[in-house]
Amino acid sequence: MPDIERINPDTLPDAGAMGYSQVTTCTPGKMIFISGQVAWTPGGDPAPDSLAEQAKMASSNLGKALASAGAGPENIVSARAFIVDYTEEKGAEAFPEILAFLGGNQVAFTLIGCAALASPDLMIEIEAIAVV
């Protein structure tokens, strides 16, 4: 496993208290780029109506994508979540599910509000870069 270092310098806001890191470094290894994962199933079931449930399902799909490349949440070095019509309340609904999936691994993380995703039923999409 590569050496992954998560840095929260005291010259920047304390991201560690919020569950992510300001900076992540890693030694060379196999890089894994995961496309945005959403709350869809292989069988085409409709996405849940709840943002929290969609965040949980998108995180689960991200985990499955990582596993297919021999990685897990601990290998993520950077991630982005896109939330439709973002508000602070929506962030408070989605972020706990994402943090639970990350299991304490404080990745470099960006939350982005957007107007729409690939389908009108989708509220969140999560993409990631990992290294093994």
Side-chain angles (χ1 to χ4, degrees), residues 66-84:
L66 286 163
S68 75
E74 68 279 6
N75 298 103
I76 297 173
V77 295
S78 180
R80 287 172 210 82
F82 301 85
I83 296 179
V84 174

Side-chain angles (χ1 to χ4, degrees), residues 66-110:
L66 286 163
S68 75
E74 68 279 6
N75 298 103
I76 297 173
V77 295
S78 180
R80 287 172 210 82
F82 301 85
I83 296 179
V84 174
D85 298 326
Y86 177 79
T87 63
E88 196 171 316
E89 292 77 20
K90 286 183 177 184
E93 186 178 348
F95 212 61
E97 297 296 338
I98 296 167
L99 289 177
F101 165 74
L102 292 173
N105 296 300
Q106 297 183 343
V107 307
F109 194 91
T110 302

Side-chain angles (χ1 to χ4, degrees), residues 5-118:
E5 180 182 12
R6 305 186 194 283
I7 305 167
N8 283 301
D10 58 10
T11 55
L12 293 172
D14 184 10
M18 294 184 282
Y20 67 99
S21 67
Q22 292 285 4
V23 179
T24 301
T25 66
C26 62
T27 58
K30 180 173 86 171
M31 294 190 68
I32 303 164
F33 299 87
I34 307 291
S35 294
Q37 298 299 307
V38 297
W40 283 345
T41 66
D45 296 331
D49 293 331
S50 155
L51 176 58
E53 283 300 311
Q54 283 202 21
K56 185 175 184 176
M57 196 170 177
S59 295
S60 174
N61 286 344
L62 178 58
K64 293 171 188 174
L66 286 163
S68 75
E74 68 279 6
N75 298 103
I76 297 173
V77 295
S78 180
R80 287 172 210 82
F82 301 85
I83 296 179
V84 174
D85 298 326
Y86 177 79
T87 63
E88 196 171 316
E89 292 77 20
K90 286 183 177 184
E93 186 178 348
F95 212 61
E97 297 296 338
I98 296 167
L99 289 177
F101 165 74
L102 292 173
N105 296 300
Q106 297 183 343
V107 307
F109 194 91
T110 302
L111 189 84
I112 303 162
C114 61
L117 294 170

